[in-house]
Amino acid sequence: MFAWYLTQIRNHGSVRATRLFCRVIWRRMFVIFCNWTLPARLTCPCCGWQGRRFLDYIEMGYAVPNAACPRCDSHSRHRALFIWLQDEYRIREKAGIALVFSPERALAPLWQTATNLNVCKVDLEPVRGADILADLMQLPFVSDVVDLIWCHHVIEQVEDVPVALEQ
Ligand SMILES: [Zn+2]
C-alpha cells in the first residue's frame, strides 16, 4: 500500500495522492465494517471467501465499487474466467502441457486442481510463482508441444504483438 502511495505521489503530486490515499483507506474501512457486521451474500469462486462486499478498486479518476476479493484480489473478470474454466471448459479433465503466461493469483487454485495437466507458469519476472522466466516475444519452447496456452491480460502489454503471436 505504501509503494502504491509513493507511485501516486510521483504521478499526481502529494496533495492529490494524499486525497486519493485517504479515500482508499476510508472505503476499505467501510467494506471491512460491512463484512464484519452484515450477513454474507457474496462468495468468491476463486478462493471461497464469503462476505457482504468486495473491496472497491480505486485509482486516480475512477473507481469500481465492490470489485476485488479481500482474500485473493480477484476481480469480476477473474471470477468469471474461473467459473468458465471450471464448469464449461472442464479444466480438471484436461491433460497435456499448459503454458500460463503471467499467472494470476486468483486462478492459481484452478491450475492446481488440473492434475493431468502439466502447468508451466511463465513470466518476465520471478514473481507469482513463475517456473520459467521468458519473454513472450522470444519463447524457449517448441511451438507444437503445447496443448493449452493461457495468456490473460498480457498481450496488450507486449511490445510487438505479431511477433509474440508467431511464437
Ligand atoms: Zn477470492
Side-chain angles (χ1 to χ4, degrees), residues 43-161:
T43 300
C44 174
C46 301
C47 70
W49 175 87
Q50 292 185 319
R52 185 72 171 194
R53 291 183 59 92
F54 292 121
L55 296 172
D56 297 344
Y57 182 77
I58 301 174
E59 290 290 340
M60 191 66 73
Y62 70 98
V64 181
N66 206 16
C69 174
R71 184 184 294 161
C72 72
D73 199 36
S74 67
H75 288 215
S76 58
R77 66 177 183 275
H78 300 115
R79 294 188 287 273
L81 289 169
F82 188 99
I83 291 169
W84 181 82
L85 280 166
Q86 179 181 261
D87 298 341
E88 297 297 321
Y89 188 70
R90 300 182 185 279
I91 191 73
R92 288 189 181 106
E93 299 170 14
K94 304 297 180 191
I97 298 173
L99 292 181
V100 177
F101 292 95
S102 191
E104 295 155 305
R105 184 172 60 147
L107 300 181
L110 197 58
W111 300 122
Q112 291 169 353
T113 61
T115 52
N116 293 325
L117 202 56
N118 188 359
V119 177
C120 181
K121 299 174 193 161
V122 183
D123 208 323
L124 272 175
E125 300 169 350
V127 292
R128 297 178 286 242
D131 301 311
I132 295 176
L133 301 180
D135 187 337
L136 195 55
M137 297 194 309
Q138 294 177 326
L139 292 176
F141 307 110
V142 179
S143 60
D144 59 350
V145 298
V146 176
D147 300 290
L148 170 69
I149 295 175
W150 187 258
C151 191
H152 173 238
H153 230 287
V154 175
I155 204 77
E156 72 273 15
Q157 299 174 39
V158 172
E159 202 171 287
D160 193 337
V161 173

